[in-house]
Amino acid sequence: MEMGGPPAVAVKKISPKAIIYQRFGSQACYTVEEVQESIQNECPGLAIPQKGPCLYRCCLQLPEFSVVSETFKRKKDAEQSAAEMALLKLGINDATDDTTVQDPWDELVSRLSYLFSNEFLKSLHPLSGHFRAALQREGRLNGLVPISVLAVYDTKFSSLCKSINPKVESNPLLIMSLMLKAASRLSGSVSASEEQLSMKRENPYPPEIVQSVVDQQSSLLDSILIKVVRIPYSVEKTVEPLTLNVASNGYYLDIIAQELGLTDASKVLVSRTLIFYRTIGKASSEKRLYFCAPESCLGDSSSELLHSTESVPLNGSLNARASYLSGHLIYGHAILASIGYTWKSADLFYEDVSLHTYCSKIPSGVYKLSREAILAAELPGAFTTRTNWRGSFPRDLLCTFCRQHHLSEPVFSNVNSLESLPESPGLQKKLKVTESGNAETNGGGNAVGDGKSVAAKGTFKCEVKIFSKCQDLIIECSPKESFKKQNDAIQNASLKVLSWLNKYFKKLDMPLEELTSSGDVLDIQFHPQFFFKEFSLCMSVNGTVGDTVCPITIEGPDSGVSPSNGYLVCIIYTICLVTEGEYMKELIESNEEFEFEMGTGSVISSFEAVATQMSVGQSARFYMDLPPQELILASARDSSRVLSLLTSRGCSLECSTTLLRVTEPLEDRMEQALFSPPLSKQRVEYAVQQIKESCATSLVDFGCGSGSLLDSLLEYPTSLEKIVGVDISRKSLTRAAKIIHSKLSRSSDATVPSAGLKSAVLYYGSITDFDSRLYGFDIGTCLEVIEHMEEDQAHLFGDVVLTSFCPRILIVSTPNYEYNVILQRSALQSQEDDPDEKTQSQSCKFRNHDHKFEWTREQFSQWASNLAMRHNYSVEFSGVGGAVDREPGFASQIALFRREGECLRNVDVTHNYEIVWDWNST
Ligand code: SAH
Ligand code: MG
């Protein structure tokens, strides 16, 4: 992959590809992929179209792992590079095995001599720019090339050094001492100054060569301004933006040296690893850390440098943040910059670097960047559906994470459970089964119906493993859930790993026990030894935005359309930094259209809390605690202004937001599109019918949610005098209280239907707990609730309600799983043009991701019949949506229980519920 290698010393050498072939034969699988320049998507298949010459990247798949090369102009180079990476991983030294290959020491020397040749000076090797710049340096520095750049910008060099001494990987100074040694064998043509850590060609370049390279360079402006980031070693000091002023004929490394307080470029070390991050479709290829060479090797301790094989002596100024970013130890101040020479032009390439990079190493940071919402976004805690996900997908985030932490690419293995899909042979071909499906049944064993009427049977599970570069297994995640789509299984597993890592990064001192138990929850196992080895340099750099610090003011009329969990919410927001008394205000972050799914934790908590209180069209304003300075600076546009504001006391974040629109969860959308009146309305009408027939005066709605049933009942003239709702969601109860309250306060005159009502109460509590205040009601309703509980809880509720609450009539409704085929088919038809919608309806196993199960008619009837029998109730079945005599039955199935005998139990006073709202007519 080197362009224009040293012709004089061309020794026949076996290529990395050939070595791979010798070892693996046809088991080695190369896939070359086209990439547009300046885009480096972490995972294949996601290329974002953009202009630019085409480059190639190669993925090499070996039995144990895979590697992905950087991008190259030629396919061939990409393949060789991938092979080389694989060899590195395998620890196979491409030089040692083969006797026809030169001694690496000789190669190192000849490489060095080539670098100081005329040809090299004229070439477009990224390193040759440093040689040309060196010729422009003044005085005694003229022509001196810092050794550190040789080590970093010539991959051949570093791999040769590695083959001589593998320890160079962890000790950048070692590579420099190897070079000095190599240079000593070139005395006469190249002189090395150990003290100055530089090398120089002894005889000047011919003038015409120098002239031609000067001509090569385009005559730029006098100077260029480059934004970089300074990272002080003291964690107390903030990471700050900084502008470098590089004269067009100057050497940028000298300028960096000055900023680091050093005399010249030779004292600057350059990180060998690229510090990269990705925002959407953009990756910098030249982002590196620049820092000061440890004192021990700048002084006269020449022998120490040359002979030390252990790590450098610590001088007490470890730069934890820079070390964390680079993955190796860095001492003293550091500068993060994206500057360098490229294969493309003789001109200096540079990009502004913002503090963005700074939050790009932890999963939530990468996610925030992908959403362009550093302050507002958070890594969601759940992957519900593809359509509701915003920002980079979990799998891509995980790939990025692994790369940034110098780990191997994550390994996904898919398990296909149950047999194939008889109805769609096309799909079958696409399924990739890497581990034989051992006829897994679905998670709780309750979701996939008995079969005949259910079309889609194939479900997927996915496991993900994270390996270190040395192939040590670090993390393993085997989720219990299964999915209809393979991709969803992959995303779900990836997110679990990310969530767990994120927990760790936010609390690095977490005790092992806590880390293990938080892994258990996410089906994750990890190997502490390898885990801590890989992440020993990590540090918490990210905080989150605090909670609101004052009451929220909401403006505008209540449109009644409010989001709750599962809804997709779209807001516009601005976050400003304001000083006390609002004398100064600086915009930090804003978004014109920011969508998020409620209830998944995909935004900071105050945003979600505010959204639940708003209805569409309303605006809100509130203040939040300041997050860590780095986070503000990372988001800010004008960071120097922000910095000056931050120094004044009493700053806070002011947030203004407007709720633009909400989209209901798929379940509601489907039910509304397909049924007229909507299913929810039909359920209410069914309940009203029962109330009328039984002349009920008291009703309790178990799992009342936002009070849709209680609210609708008020529209009908009934015999009801007392209505009660119970739920375990405070948010929903708050909304229910608001809605019912406003309706009841409007209805003081006797003409309204609900005029007979004497009392209404909302309780907070679980319907699996008994509360004697709800004993012996005429009617209990429990509509679309049990499927939100775990199955054993649903059984428990059945027992508690019929033995303890003893309502005269109990109405329980729940989705009919067999009907989903129709709902999903219709969703497909109505959204033919929208491929995302298609995916969503297919990806959601149940109608709503919050459902823990959905029963077939058979399952529901068994539950209800058993229950009725045990507690001396009768039960009859019915439903709404569809018809009883047409397959596959009702969309929503209903069981109506009637108490057979009198309920003469002695009831002890038990108050398990908390009153959250209470109304009575007097
Ligand atoms: N019955 C309402 C809401 C259905 S959504 C309607 O038809 O519109 C399901 C509701 O059940 C949610 O509000 C949820 O908070 C509630 N729920 C789930 N488990 C519960 C429990 N153990 N106790 C009380 N409510 C519960
Ligand atoms: Mg439901």
Side-chain angles (χ1 to χ4, degrees):
M1 67 194 182
E2 295 290 334
M3 279 175 57
V9 287
V11 173
K12 188 109 184 112
K13 194 182 147 199
I14 299 187
S15 73
K17 233 184 126 173
I19 299 173
I20 290 287
Y21 185 78
Q22 281 171 2
R23 298 244 164 181
F24 296 99
S26 58
Q27 279 183 300
C29 172
Y30 296 82
T31 329
V32 177
E33 176 202 11
E34 279 186 19
V35 254
Q36 295 297 321
E37 173 164 70
S38 85
I39 297 171
Q40 293 184 8
N41 274 314
E42 268 54 73
C43 290
L46 279 162
I48 300 158
Q50 231 184 52
K51 299 236 156 55
C54 191
L55 297 174
Y56 296 97
R57 176 168 50 207
C58 174
C59 173
L60 168 56
Q61 178 82 50
L62 293 176
E64 297 292 330
F65 64 93
S66 67
V67 288
V68 181
S69 74
E70 297 290 326
T71 53
F72 291 87
K73 284 189 190 147
R74 296 185 304 177
K75 288 185 187 175
K76 213 168 76 180
D77 295 336
E79 286 177 357
Q80 290 293 0
S81 162
E84 206 172 322
M85 288 167 80
L87 289 176
L88 264 174
K89 253 193 200 187
L90 290 162
I92 297 174
N93 193 324
D94 58 353
T96 45
D97 281 2
D98 197 281
T99 43
T100 64
V101 171
Q102 267 189 317
D103 173 11
W105 267 112
D106 294 341
E107 268 205 84
L108 198 63
V109 173
S110 57
R111 180 70 187 171
L112 196 58
S113 111
Y114 167 69
L115 294 181
F116 283 90
S117 69
N118 296 344
E119 299 94 290
F120 187 72
L121 191 71
K122 287 187 290 184
S123 78
L124 280 188
H125 190 291
L127 179 59
S128 67
H130 292 263
F131 282 74
R132 292 188 293 271
L135 293 176
Q136 317 246 10
R137 297 176 87 186
E138 313 241 312
R140 62 178 182 91
L141 295 176
N142 185 267
L144 278 181
V145 180
I147 307 183
S148 62
V149 301
L150 300 180
V152 169
Y153 294 102
D154 191 38
T155 43
K156 186 106 177 208
F157 237 168
S158 38
S159 58
L160 282 170
C161 289
K162 227 174 284 169
S163 68
I164 293 169
N165 185 345
K167 284 192 178 145
V168 298
E169 279 252 71
S170 55
N171 185 352
L173 291 176
L174 207 54
I175 204 167
M176 295 168 70
S177 74
L178 290 179
M179 280 177 190
L180 286 170
K181 206 168 155 193
S184 68
R185 299 200 0 203
L186 284 174
S187 59
S189 56
V190 175
S191 67
S193 148
E194 189 177 327
E195 197 185 326
Q196 289 178 305
L197 290 174
S198 296
M199 288 187 194
K200 187 179 176 163
R201 178 165 144 148
E202 299 258 312
N203 316 312
Y205 290 97
E208 66 277 9
I209 302 273
V210 176
Q211 192 53 49
S212 76
V213 301
V214 170
D215 294 345
Q216 226 179 340
Q217 256 162 306
S218 62
S219 46
L220 283 169
L221 303 162
D222 284 342
S223 65
I224 44 179
L225 297 178
I226 307 171
K227 286 193 179 144
V228 301
V229 169
R230 187 219 299 273
I231 306 171
Y233 66 82
S234 160
V235 199
E236 287 353 8
K237 299 227 168 75
T238 350
V239 173
E240 283 177 9
L242 186 80
T243 304
L244 296 184
N245 188 337
V246 182
S248 63
N249 61 350
Y251 184 28
Y252 75 88
L253 220 51
D254 281 331
I255 309 293
I256 289 181
Q258 271 169 35
E259 293 292 346
L260 287 170
L262 304 169
T263 51
D264 70 277
S266 64
K267 314 290 187 298
V268 177
L269 293 188
V270 187
S271 69
R272 288 158 34 73
T273 44
L274 288 174
I275 318 294
F276 90 100
Y277 76 101
R278 187 181 69 155
T279 54
I280 300 134
K282 189 179 172 200
S284 162
S285 53
E286 267 309 313
K287 199 171 295 167
R288 293 176 192 270
L289 276 161
Y290 298 83
F291 51 100
C292 169
E295 275 169 39
S296 60
C297 69
L298 293 176
D300 52 354
S301 50
S302 51
S303 50
E304 201 179 318
L305 172 60
L306 279 174
H307 304 296
S308 88
T309 47
E310 296 313 314
S311 59
V312 262
L314 315 184
N315 59 8
S317 55
L318 176 70
N319 190 325
R321 291 176 292 199
S323 302
Y324 168 65
L325 283 180
S326 70
H328 58 77
L329 295 176
I330 288 179
Y331 295 89
H333 299 309
I335 282 176
L336 179 67
S338 178
I339 314 177
Y341 299 95
T342 64
W343 291 103
K344 277 170 275 175
S345 139
D347 294 327
L348 189 63
F349 162 87
Y350 63 94
E351 268 179 337
D352 287 342
V353 174
S354 71
L355 275 114
H356 266 172
T357 314
Y358 209 59
C359 41
S360 68
K361 274 205 119 179
I362 79 170
S364 66
V366 189
Y367 179 75
K368 283 161 177 282
L369 289 172
S370 80
R371 296 228 57 191
E372 295 185 278
I374 289 174
L375 293 181
E378 283 290 345
L379 180 72
F383 181 82
T384 60
T385 62
R386 278 191 84 79
T387 11
N388 278 9
W389 186 270
R390 292 293 176 278
S392 291
F393 279 99
R395 182 195 129 132
D396 301 342
L397 295 171
L398 190 61
C399 291
T400 305
F401 177 87
C402 288
R403 286 177 177 206
Q404 297 203 335
H405 289 264
H406 310 288
L407 304 171
S408 296
E409 294 282 303
V411 177
F412 298 94
S413 44
N414 299 294
V415 185
N416 180 12
S417 58
L418 292 185
E419 329 79 25
S420 56
L421 306 167
E423 288 191 6
S424 39
L427 191 59
Q428 219 174 316
K429 266 185 251 146
K430 276 193 261 164
L431 308 179
K432 194 176 123 212
V433 184
T434 51
E435 281 181 33
S436 62
N438 42 359
E440 285 266 2
T441 46
N442 175 276
N446 48 31
V448 177
D450 56 11
K452 305 203 178 55
S453 50
V454 185
K457 285 173 82 176
T459 56
F460 292 92
K461 288 189 175 192
C462 173
E463 289 175 2
V464 55
K465 292 195 176 93
I466 309 285
F467 293 94
S468 71
K469 275 269 186 271
C470 327
Q471 297 308 304
D472 296 319
L473 178 60
I474 308 174
I475 302 168
E476 200 173 350
C477 175
S478 323
K480 292 185 211 70
E481 299 92 339
S482 52
F483 292 81
K484 262 193 177 172
K485 290 200 71 186
Q486 189 179 30
N487 192 336
D488 289 343
I490 292 174
Q491 303 297 0
N492 172 65
S494 303
L495 183 59
K496 287 195 163 188
V497 177
L498 291 167
S499 304
W500 182 75
L501 286 166
N502 215 35
K503 280 210 178 88
Y504 170 72
F505 276 92
K506 294 212 158 160
K507 195 179 162 195
L508 291 171
D509 53 356
M510 198 191 283
L512 185 61
E513 220 169 84
E514 195 183 331
L515 197 58
T516 311
S517 66
S518 69
D520 289 344
V521 177
L522 293 160
D523 307 317
I524 285 170
Q525 287 194 306
F526 72 105
H527 299 269
Q529 183 200 344
F530 299 127
F531 180 80
F532 291 118
K533 189 173 138 204
E534 290 300 326
F535 296 107
S536 61
L537 283 180
C538 293
M539 59 175 307
S540 289
V541 280
N542 290 270
T544 38
V545 183
D547 288 328
T548 53
V549 290
C550 71
I552 298 160
T553 31
I554 295 180
E555 284 160 19
D558 186 349
S559 63
V561 187
S562 304
S564 50
N565 288 357
Y567 276 58
L568 205 56
V569 177
C570 183
I571 59 169
I572 178 170
Y573 75 83
T574 57
I575 300 175
C576 295
L577 186 68
V578 291
T579 57
E580 210 164 4
E582 293 193 35
Y583 295 120
M584 304 270 250
K585 199 166 172 174
E586 177 74 22
L587 179 66
I588 305 287
E589 185 173 299
S590 69
N591 257 299
E592 304 253 296
E593 272 212 341
F594 186 76
E595 282 190 315
F596 62 93
E597 183 180 359
M598 288 282 278
T600 57
S602 56
V603 282
I604 50 174
S605 57
S606 33
F607 268 46
E608 207 166 86
V610 170
T612 44
Q613 297 175 43
M614 296 166 76
S615 60
V616 171
Q618 286 186 322
S619 300
R621 194 145 58 96
F622 53 96
Y623 294 85
M624 300 179 291
D625 274 334
L626 282 191
Q629 231 175 65
E630 277 91 10
L631 211 57
I632 301 182
L633 286 170
S635 185
R637 280 129 235 241
D638 186 344
S639 35
S640 43
R641 229 183 90 83
V642 166
L643 211 54
S644 74
L645 281 189
L646 281 171
T647 52
S648 65
R649 292 193 173 260
C651 281
S652 59
L653 288 182
E654 180 204 76
C655 178
S656 310
T657 178
T658 301
L659 186 56
L660 297 178
R661 58 173 185 270
V662 296
T663 314
E664 293 166 321
L666 184 68
E667 179 183 26
D668 302 7
R669 267 181 286 157
M670 284 193 303
E671 291 192 355
Q672 269 169 30
L674 210 60
F675 301 100
S676 166
L679 276 193
S680 53
K681 184 121 196 286
Q682 293 193 37
R683 280 191 287 264
V684 173
E685 282 167 358
Y686 178 88
V688 169
Q689 187 62 31
Q690 299 309 320
I691 294 165
K692 282 191 174 149
E693 282 176 17
S694 65
C695 302
T697 58
S698 56
L699 178 140
V700 49
D701 189 20
F702 295 106
C704 62
S706 318
S708 64
L709 173 71
L710 299 176
D711 173 49
S712 314
L713 286 179
L714 301 177
E715 311 268 336
Y716 297 85
T718 62
S719 46
L720 289 178
E721 291 173 6
K722 182 179 176 81
I723 57 169
V724 169
V726 191
D727 206 285
I728 40 158
S729 160
R730 285 188 190 272
K731 271 186 201 167
S732 303
L733 286 168
T734 309
R735 193 163 318 114
K738 230 162 103 181
I739 295 166
I740 303 171
H741 185 88
S742 73
K743 187 164 275 176
L744 286 172
S745 52
R746 264 186 272 129
S747 61
S748 45
D749 60 297
T751 55
V752 295
S754 59
L757 197 70
K758 297 200 172 97
S759 104
V761 189
L762 292 176
Y763 289 102
Y764 167 74
S766 171
I767 56 173
T768 50
D769 292 330
F770 176 60
D771 189 297
S772 57
R773 288 168 291 188
L774 306 186
Y775 170 73
F777 272 48
D778 290 331
I779 289 197
T781 49
C782 183
L783 306 183
E784 309 293 292
V785 174
I786 56 170
E787 73 276 7
H788 292 263
M789 312 161 81
E790 294 299 339
E791 253 192 326
D792 60 332
Q793 294 296 299
H795 284 280
L796 178 61
F797 164 68
D799 286 330
V800 170
V801 73
L802 297 190
T803 35
S804 304
F805 288 107
C806 305
R808 198 144 57 83
I809 290 172
L810 175 71
I811 301 168
V812 178
S813 86
T814 194
N816 168 14
Y817 182 72
E818 298 160 80
Y819 202 89
N820 288 4
V821 206
I822 294 183
L823 290 178
Q824 288 169 2
R825 200 178 293 151
S826 82
L828 281 184
Q829 276 159 7
S830 61
Q831 272 128 10
E832 206 73 84
D833 306 328
D834 188 341
D836 278 348
E837 287 290 341
K838 248 188 243 182
T839 335
Q840 177 180 27
S841 60
Q842 284 170 1
S843 70
C844 192
K845 185 171 57 184
F846 297 139
R847 296 182 195 180
N848 182 324
H849 67 83
D850 196 37
H851 288 177
K852 303 292 188 303
F853 62 83
E854 281 176 7
W855 280 337
T856 59
R857 284 168 290 178
E858 174 71 29
Q859 286 170 307
F860 183 57
S861 125
Q862 241 177 34
W863 172 80
S865 308
N866 253 318
L867 199 62
M869 207 168 62
R870 274 186 284 129
H871 301 287
N872 196 25
Y873 275 70
S874 69
V875 63
E876 60 193 64
F877 294 95
S878 133
V880 292
V884 68
D885 49 4
R886 202 166 356 108
E887 282 301 306
F890 290 113
S892 193
Q893 42 187 350
I894 296 177
L896 182 98
F897 300 86
R898 270 180 227 278
R899 199 173 62 210
E900 290 293 285
E902 276 306 301
C903 199
L904 301 166
R905 219 162 62 84
N906 269 336
V907 183
D908 294 332
V909 175
T910 338
H911 287 188
N912 280 320
Y913 295 168
E914 178 194 326
I915 299 180
V916 292
W917 176 79
D918 186 1
W919 175 92
N920 60 64
S921 59
T922 50

